[in-house]
Amino acid sequence: MFSTELLTDLLQTDFLGSDIIFEPQINSTNEDAWNYFHNGNPEGTLVITNDQQHGRGRLHNKWVSTKGKSLTFSVILRPKIPLEKLGLLPLLTGVSIIKGIASSTSIQAGLKWSNDIMLNQKKMGGILLESKSTQNGLGVVIGIGLNINESIHDFPETLCKQVTSLSMHTGKQYTIERILASILNEFELLYIQQWDTIISSWRKYCIHLNKNVTFHIEKDLHEGKFQGISSLGHAKIQINGETQTFPAGVITL
């Protein structure tokens, strides 16, 4: 069972995790986080579960979690940033996850634009950011799902060749609270005082920088070289010798 006490002991944050809401089973941590947001819960509120029944991914995809083995949580933010800079938040989150995993497990994962956590060219996690403009300013909920202690048998057969977990990578079992605390510690540091490092850090961990990719945006399909990200977190892709910038889309390698 997840231990909020252990998590609290491991946290080195001022506001992230100041309010920890643990539910043994939940429909979606993002859904519950929005309910708490509208009820006035403070920035940094953490919603976490051992068993997420209907997790959501990007583009209305379903996120598959395994009871007691996955790390699934959401964080409420009330950022004081211009709306156009919102595209940097998933990148900041991705960098925090990579650094948190490395510091707590010594495993070096990587990033795929814009919201995928990768390990050995397979997906081990994802980020879902949702935002709303309210009378009291911008509200954001960041949902994160990470495969930690799953075995290959925990995934649907259709996904087995595309996904992995930390445990599948090393054969070891990991303490979920320790990994979560490391991620939140890294996140708060970046969020409070290191926004100017996000783009360079993200480039460092990107697994497809300067490589040819296939880019899907709505019904269009492009092939080109991924050249990095703009100051707003948009993808820069060289297509037929011309660099184009895309705020959204899906990359396949």
Side-chain angles (χ1 to χ4, degrees), residues 64-133:
V64 178
S65 302
T66 306
K67 182 179 179 180
K69 296 183 179 182
S70 303
L71 172 52
T72 49
F73 66 99
S74 296
V75 174
I76 294 174
L77 296 177
R78 302 175 185 271
K80 303 296 189 290
I81 59 172
L83 270 176
E84 62 267 20
K85 282 203 167 186
L86 201 57
L88 291 177
L89 262 179
L91 309 183
L92 184 155
T93 305
V95 170
S96 304
I97 292 169
I98 298 303
K99 295 179 75 172
I101 289 173
S103 65
S104 58
T105 69
S106 298
I107 296 173
Q108 186 60 65
L111 296 169
K112 181 166 79 73
W113 190 87
S114 59
N115 294 340
D116 290 345
I117 313 302
M118 307 293 289
L119 189 58
N120 288 345
Q121 301 293 312
K122 294 183 177 182
K123 186 170 180 176
M124 68 146 291
I127 302 162
L128 176 64
L129 184 145
E130 299 173 319
S131 63
K132 296 179 181 179
S133 293

Side-chain angles (χ1 to χ4, degrees), residues 71 73 96-97 100-101 146 179-187:
L71 172 52
F73 66 99
S96 304
I97 292 169
I101 289 173
L146 299 174
I179 294 172
L180 175 55
S182 295
I183 291 169
L184 295 179
N185 291 339
E186 296 286 352
F187 187 102

Side-chain angles (χ1 to χ4, degrees), residues 12-207:
Q12 301 169 2
T13 55
D14 290 327
F15 77 95
L16 268 184
S18 57
D19 191 359
I20 301 172
I21 299 165
F22 171 75
E23 295 286 351
Q25 187 180 83
I26 212 169
N27 188 51
S28 159
T29 58
N30 264 35
E31 286 180 8
D32 276 35
W34 278 119
N35 291 334
Y36 289 113
F37 172 85
H38 291 302
N39 285 339
N41 280 60
E43 182 171 54
T45 296
L46 173 70
V47 180
I48 185 165
T49 184
N50 263 343
D51 185 10
Q52 182 171 247
Q53 294 286 297
H54 299 287
R56 303 198 308 272
R58 292 181 65 232
L59 306 176
H60 306 292
N61 291 325
K62 181 180 179 181
W63 180 260
V64 178
S65 302
T66 306
K67 182 179 179 180
K69 296 183 179 182
S70 303
L71 172 52
T72 49
F73 66 99
S74 296
V75 174
I76 294 174
L77 296 177
R78 302 175 185 271
K80 303 296 189 290
I81 59 172
L83 270 176
E84 62 267 20
K85 282 203 167 186
L86 201 57
L88 291 177
L89 262 179
L91 309 183
L92 184 155
T93 305
V95 170
S96 304
I97 292 169
I98 298 303
K99 295 179 75 172
I101 289 173
S103 65
S104 58
T105 69
S106 298
I107 296 173
Q108 186 60 65
L111 296 169
K112 181 166 79 73
W113 190 87
S114 59
N115 294 340
D116 290 345
I117 313 302
M118 307 293 289
L119 189 58
N120 288 345
Q121 301 293 312
K122 294 183 177 182
K123 186 170 180 176
M124 68 146 291
I127 302 162
L128 176 64
L129 184 145
E130 299 173 319
S131 63
K132 296 179 181 179
S133 293
T134 71
Q135 291 181 339
N136 297 320
L138 181 64
V140 171
V141 167
I142 300 179
I144 297 171
L146 299 174
N147 302 329
I148 306 298
N149 290 321
E150 291 91 341
S151 72
I152 190 65
H153 306 293
D154 290 313
F155 297 107
E157 189 174 342
T158 53
L159 295 178
C160 284
K161 293 182 179 180
Q162 306 166 36
V163 298
T164 190
S165 71
L166 296 184
S167 186
M168 288 166 61
H169 180 65
T170 64
K172 300 177 182 178
Q173 294 288 296
Y174 294 94
T175 303
I176 285 177
E177 294 90 339
R178 187 172 302 279
I179 294 172
L180 175 55
S182 295
I183 291 169
L184 295 179
N185 291 339
E186 296 286 352
F187 187 102
E188 184 169 296
L189 186 63
L190 286 170
Y191 184 75
I192 290 177
Q193 56 181 309
Q194 296 185 6
W195 280 80
D196 58 342
T197 70
I198 294 169
I199 292 175
S200 60
S201 295
W202 191 93
R203 286 174 58 92
K204 175 182 174 183
Y205 299 123
C206 176
I207 66 170

